[in-house]
Amino acid sequence: MDHEKPTVCVLDASTYVGFWILKGLLSRGYAVHAALQKKGSETEIESKIKEMGRDEERLAVFTVDILDYQSILAALKGCSALFCCLDCPDGYDDIMVDLEVRGAINVVEACAQTDTIEKLVFTSSLTAAIWRENICSQKDVDERCWSDQSFCRKMKLWYALTKTLSEQAAWALAMDRMLNMVSVNAGLVLGPAVAQQNPRSTMSYLKGAAQMYENGVLAVVDVSFLADVHIRAFEDSSTTGRYFCFDQTVNTEEEAVKLAQSLNPLLSLPPKYECRGTEAYAERLRTKKLNKLAEGTA
């Protein structure tokens, strides 16, 4: 007889990735607190979650403000884990950097002050690891790498800077509070209706796409696989540190064209575009830790 699954929290469950994690947890039998950030008008995903909350007894919906520590504590009450998926639906600029970092700090502190929390699974990005002046001279880019803050500011890579500073702040506080934390550094997230439901984060990630492509660090991940990795990272007690998460490196012109087509209408190609190049750029990203997690030997 299976043990009853614990209650967990997803914040922000109304983000594209958060919603898929929420669905994955419910399908596995977890009770879930879906924490939704206060926004202006209600999004399609928010409407779906509220509708699910009326029909699904294992789902409780909370409204939180990540700058309001008490609202986060209320959503975490009775939960054994938090899946933290912060994202800005309006895109990223220099102002958003500070807001998301402050939100990440509040989330980690709230977890540390909630006795029932056993693990924090923190969604980050590959862009928190791949941006620096001399990336093309580096053979292996793995979980030990961090993006250079000064370089990100100089190039106005606000999404990458936000994810770098947020994750670093989360790690620093989690270690200080002795909180069990794992981060999942996702590639560009693809999946059903991503261009419609996650347009600005997608385009923010793709700032500097040409350089990422030429340097062999442009990678994508299917959202259902990404959600599964988050849940495995929680369920496997041996997980530790950061995990790069992607299922393909885009390093040929043919793959780049397929990516652009999958993101239509966010990205568009000239009519009757034909691939001409056969060059494949060297892949630099490494996924040894992800492979072990997927095999159940993390």
Side-chain angles (χ1 to χ4, degrees), residues 50-291:
K50 289 176 180 178
E51 188 178 322
M52 289 163 63
R54 289 190 285 270
D55 301 330
E56 173 57 74
E57 61 180 21
R58 287 182 292 112
L59 176 61
V61 180
F62 294 78
T63 301
V64 301
D65 178 349
I66 58 169
L67 300 182
D68 177 5
Y69 175 73
Q70 294 299 327
S71 71
I72 301 171
L73 283 176
L76 289 179
K77 189 174 182 181
C79 293
S80 63
L82 172 65
F83 295 84
C84 178
C85 322
L86 300 182
D87 222 349
C88 176
D90 298 323
Y92 285 81
D93 55 23
D94 53 341
I95 296 168
M96 272 311 304
V97 176
D98 181 57
L99 290 175
E100 195 162 305
V101 171
R102 286 163 59 198
I105 290 169
N106 278 343
V107 166
V108 175
E109 185 61 45
C111 285
Q113 299 303 325
T114 302
D115 292 341
T116 53
I117 291 288
E118 297 170 7
K119 185 180 272 189
L120 166 61
V121 182
F122 190 90
T123 308
S124 187
S125 169
L126 284 179
T127 62
I130 61 174
W131 282 111
R132 66 185 68 83
E133 201 83 52
N134 60 343
I135 190 71
C136 58
S137 65
Q138 193 163 337
K139 183 183 175 186
D140 294 329
V141 178
D142 60 19
E143 287 85 357
R144 295 168 294 183
C145 299
W146 287 95
S147 290
D148 181 85
Q149 297 174 26
S150 299
F151 183 75
C152 289
R153 288 187 193 278
K154 183 175 79 173
M155 304 303 291
K156 293 183 168 53
L157 298 164
W158 302 124
Y159 180 87
L161 181 63
T162 301
K163 297 307 177 185
T164 303
L165 293 177
S166 295
E167 189 190 348
Q168 287 178 337
W171 275 117
L173 187 56
M175 287 188 280
D176 183 68
R177 298 290 189 268
M178 292 185 289
L179 179 67
N180 184 10
M181 174 174 143
V182 171
S183 69
V184 179
N185 294 72
L188 176 67
V189 180
L190 302 179
V194 69
Q196 292 74 36
Q197 295 179 352
N198 200 36
R200 295 199 174 175
S201 289
T202 299
M203 294 309 294
S204 295
Y205 187 109
L206 285 169
K207 178 82 185 288
Q211 295 98 311
M212 285 191 273
Y213 170 64
E214 291 168 6
N215 290 326
V217 291
L218 177 58
V220 299
V221 61
D222 179 77
V223 69
S224 61
F225 175 67
L226 177 61
D228 183 61
V229 167
H230 277 77
I231 297 168
R232 285 176 183 236
F234 163 59
E235 292 179 336
D236 189 330
S237 60
S238 67
T239 53
T240 181
R242 306 169 87 200
Y243 287 82
F244 279 9
C245 187
F246 60 95
D247 45 25
Q248 184 190 7
T249 301
V250 179
N251 67 335
T252 68
E253 186 181 359
E254 183 181 2
E255 289 165 354
V257 169
K258 285 180 181 176
L259 173 60
Q261 290 169 338
S262 72
L263 291 174
N264 184 53
L266 294 180
L267 299 178
S268 57
L269 294 167
K272 299 181 181 177
Y273 180 87
E274 291 182 11
C275 290
R276 295 182 182 84
T278 56
E279 182 177 7
Y281 292 100
E283 296 181 22
R284 301 183 195 281
L285 295 167
R286 301 292 174 254
T287 56
K288 286 180 183 175
K289 287 187 72 180
L290 177 67
N291 296 341

